[in-house]
Structure formats: C-alpha cells, structure tokens
Amino acid sequence: EVQLVESGGVLVQPGASLKLSCVASGFTFSDYWMSWVRQTPGKTMEWIGDIRYDGSYTNYGSSLKKRFTISRDNAKSTLYLQMSNVRSEDTATYYCSRVGGSTGFAYWGQGTLVTVSS
Amino acid sequence: EIVLTQSPTTTAASPGEKVTITCLASSSVSHIYWYHQKSGASPKLLIYSTSTLASGVPDRFSGSGSGTSYSLTINTMEAEDVATYYCQQWSSNPWTFGGGTKLELK
C-alpha cells in the first residue's frame, strides 16, 4: 500500500525557515517524480513544485521558486521542502504527492500544517 | 498561467440525482484531472486524462470534455459522494487547480 507521511509543520514567525519531510513507503520511491502541493485555509490548492525521480531536475511554480527548495533522499525514501523567509500567506496545509506520469497526483499524504504568525 | 474556473461553487443533490460539475480553462489544455476531498481528509485522485477512472472509483463517475471545457458527472448521487471536487491541468507550467466545487446532500 502506498503511504506518504508528511512532518515538520509548526507555528513559525514571519521571516523564519523550516524544512518539511515526507517519508514514502509501499512503492519504489526512486522510480517516481514527487510533488508538493499546498492548500490554504480558504481551501485554495496551489502546486509548489516537483522533482524528478533521481533528484536531477526540479520544477517550480513561478511565485515560489525563490524561497522554496525541493529535494529528495532516495536512500531514505524521503522528500523534502525547504522553506525560507516565510510569510503569512504561506500558512497552509502542505501535501506531498506521488506523480504518476499521465495519472496526475496519484497519491497524497495526510498533510502537515504550517502556520506563519507573529 | 492557465486559470481553471469551476461551476457551480456549491451545489446540493438528492440521492439518485445526477450531478454535473464544469471546469473551464482560460486556454486550451490536453486533459483535465479531477480530485475529491472529503471533510478532514486529503485529496484523492478521481479521474485522470479527462475520462479515465482512478482505481477503485465507482462507475457512476464519468469525465468528459476537450479544449477549454470539461465536466465531471455523477450519474446517481450517493451520500458518500459528499465532498469538494477540484479540477487540475498538467498542460502548461505552472500546473493549476480550479477553485473547487462543494457538493452537499439535499
């Protein structure tokens, strides 16, 4: 069974940095592109970016690529999202997702909540 | 950026009723993907490549469309279909989502 478990969501102050993790199991992690998607408190969905199966290429939504970095450790079956200089508008639930070629965001984790507030 | 506009924003249906949700794209896309999200849960893939049901999805769901106009249909509404439905496109970076359609039980 495919499982994706995110962690690292916390309450942080504006301007801080934090790193989210997503541990995958139930499939060969190194075979798949992976993505991060976030959902605001108002339920708006926003794709953050994705990373190639070997970590050699990343692709970001244009508004976030200067502050967010996606990486992965295939030996640990773990996906990461490094967030820097966070703003109140970054408050959201962050999901990792396994990308399935033509099948879209095929699997999602349970999400981790990031709250940015002073 | 391709903007996806869903309608209606909210709708309600009685058990057995047919439900149709539309997704209009600001530019032509090759395919649309549909997800549903039940209260308190994470999104789940419902339909990919416009009309292919994801594994385990009942056949009362169907998808259709082309170009800039797509739709999701539930042939006979069931109580378990209460959820918010999102469309999404992979044709043009950045990948974008519609604003969602909340489906309630009448």
Side-chain angles (χ1 to χ4, degrees):
Chain A
E1 179 193 3
V2 172
Q3 284 200 320
L4 300 170
V5 179
E6 302 94 337
S7 63
V10 291
L11 169 63
V12 293
Q13 293 191 336
S17 296
L18 75 159
K19 190 171 188 176
L20 307 182
S21 300
C22 168
V23 177
S25 60
F27 64 100
T28 303
F29 182 70
S30 58
D31 283 349
Y32 290 89
W33 286 67
M34 298 292 294
S35 280
W36 285 99
V37 177
R38 68 183 183 181
Q39 185 172 37
T40 66
K43 303 301 181 184
T44 298
M45 302 284 290
E46 181 180 17
W47 169 72
I48 295 169
D50 45 38
I51 185 167
R52 185 181 154 117
Y53 50 84
D54 59 359
S56 64
Y57 175 77
T58 50
N59 180 32
Y60 297 94
S62 55
S63 65
L64 297 171
K65 61 183 174 184
K66 293 183 179 179
R67 297 189 297 118
F68 289 12
T69 302
I70 297 173
S71 62
R72 64 192 296 163
D73 184 337
N74 284 347
K76 295 182 178 179
S77 295
T78 302
L79 177 71
Y80 301 102
L81 178 65
Q82 177 71 52
M83 305 168 63
S84 62
N85 190 23
V86 295
R87 307 164 181 169
S88 59
E89 55 263 38
D90 295 323
T91 294
T93 297
Y94 287 74
Y95 295 98
C96 67
S97 176
R98 193 185 91 175
V99 177
S102 63
T103 58
F105 299 111
Y107 294 92
W108 299 64
Q110 88 288 350
T112 189
L113 177 62
V114 173
T115 304
V116 183
S117 176
S118 55
Chain B
E1 172 174 321
I2 293 179
V3 176
L4 300 178
T5 303
Q6 290 184 230
S7 62
T9 305
T10 306
T11 190
S14 302
E17 192 174 342
K18 185 176 183 178
V19 177
T20 299
I21 297 169
T22 63
C23 178
L24 296 182
S26 59
S27 298
S28 182
V29 297
S30 300
H31 288 292
I32 280 291
Y33 298 75
W34 292 96
Y35 305 85
H36 65 161
Q37 184 177 33
K38 298 187 179 181
S39 180
S42 54
K44 289 187 177 179
L45 178 66
L46 193 64
I47 290 175
Y48 62 92
S49 297
T50 300
S51 59
T52 305
L53 298 185
S55 177
V57 174
D59 61 7
R60 63 179 179 274
F61 289 90
S62 63
S64 64
S66 64
T68 60
S69 181
Y70 293 82
S71 63
L72 168 69
T73 299
I74 306 174
N75 256 333
T76 51
M77 174 73 180
E78 296 195 8
E80 67 179 21
D81 300 334
V82 169
T84 299
Y85 292 79
Y86 295 92
C87 59
Q88 180 254 326
Q89 64 82 22
W90 281 93
S91 293
S92 175
N93 190 356
W95 324 133
T96 51
F97 290 83
T101 296
K102 187 173 184 180
L103 174 59
E104 299 171 333
L105 192 64
K106 196 183 292 182

